């Protein structure tokens, strides 16, 4: 009888399961493992729970999806197929919650929101046949 060789660590050879990432387990697109590594390397805390990178990845994924949806709508409004920084700027500044979150952020090549102060707009002229509204000189003439 020859003794059968067993792999070290009590594992059986050949019966390996396919690796499933934490992102797939959580049903996310954002990389949970990478975020966990960044949390460790960043030294934000001495310890953190196992669910922290999953939660953070889910929040980041939601914010990215929300921003991309609004920027895509802005691009479609401007009859464009591609999102550019201007569309991101319009999406952020027209949304209350995203605008509050990104209040102090400058988006390069984003421009500004179109805004004209109502004081600067020309006054609406009503019908000139009103006898009550007789045109008065703007400034009194000196005699």
């Amino acid at each position: 009888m020859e003794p059968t060789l067993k792999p070290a660590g009590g594992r059986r050879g050949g019966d390996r399961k396919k690796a499933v990432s934490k992102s797939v387990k959580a049903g996310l697109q954002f990389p949970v493992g990478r975020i966990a590594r960044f949390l460790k390397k960043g030294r934000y805390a001495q310890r953190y729970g196992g669910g922290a990178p999953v939660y953070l990845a889910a929040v980041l994924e939601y914010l990215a999806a929300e921003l991309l949806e609004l920027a895509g709508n802005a691009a479609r409004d401007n009859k464009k197929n591609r999102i550019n920084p201007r569309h991101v700027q319009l999406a952020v500044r027209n949304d209350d919650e995203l605008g509050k979150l990104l209040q102090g952020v400058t988006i390069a090549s984003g421009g500004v929101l179109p805004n004209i102060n109502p004081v600067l707009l020309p006054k609406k002229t009503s019908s000139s046949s009103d006898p009550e509204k007789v045109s008065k000189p703007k400034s009194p003439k000196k005699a």
Side-chain angles (χ1 to χ4, degrees):
M1 283 188 164
E2 295 178 15
T4 58
L5 296 172
K6 289 186 176 179
R11 278 193 240 123
R12 294 181 182 171
D15 293 3
R16 292 217 42 165
K17 291 183 181 176
K18 180 83 171 142
V20 181
S21 70
K22 292 178 185 174
S23 298
V24 171
K25 286 180 184 176
L28 297 173
Q29 300 298 315
F30 270 47
V32 174
R34 185 178 301 174
I35 291 173
R37 188 179 76 235
F38 290 155
L39 280 174
K40 284 180 189 174
K41 283 192 175 179
R43 305 292 290 167
Y44 300 108
Q46 288 182 346
R47 304 168 66 178
Y48 65 91
V54 177
Y55 195 92
L56 184 56
V59 169
L60 290 174
E61 184 174 319
Y62 169 75
L63 285 173
E66 188 75 18
L67 181 62
L68 281 173
E69 182 183 351
L70 293 173
N73 292 343
R76 195 180 326 112
D77 291 344
N78 290 326
K79 300 181 178 77
K80 301 276 194 260
N81 291 325
R82 191 174 296 158
I83 296 173
N84 60 28
R86 175 68 177 160
H87 302 138
V88 175
Q89 173 82 324
L90 290 173
V92 168
R93 302 303 170 212
N94 284 325
D95 187 69
D96 292 336
E97 293 169 343
L98 276 177
K100 196 171 183 182
L101 179 68
L102 302 175
Q103 195 170 12
V105 174
T106 302
I107 297 173
S109 301
V112 296
L113 282 181
N115 183 26
I116 300 174
N117 197 319
V119 175
L120 300 174
L121 292 173
K123 294 183 176 74
K124 296 193 176 187
T125 57
S126 58
S127 59
S128 60
S129 62
D130 291 339
E132 297 171 5
K133 295 184 180 180
V134 179
S135 62
K136 295 179 182 177
K138 299 239 178 200
S139 60
K141 291 185 179 178
K142 297 178 182 175

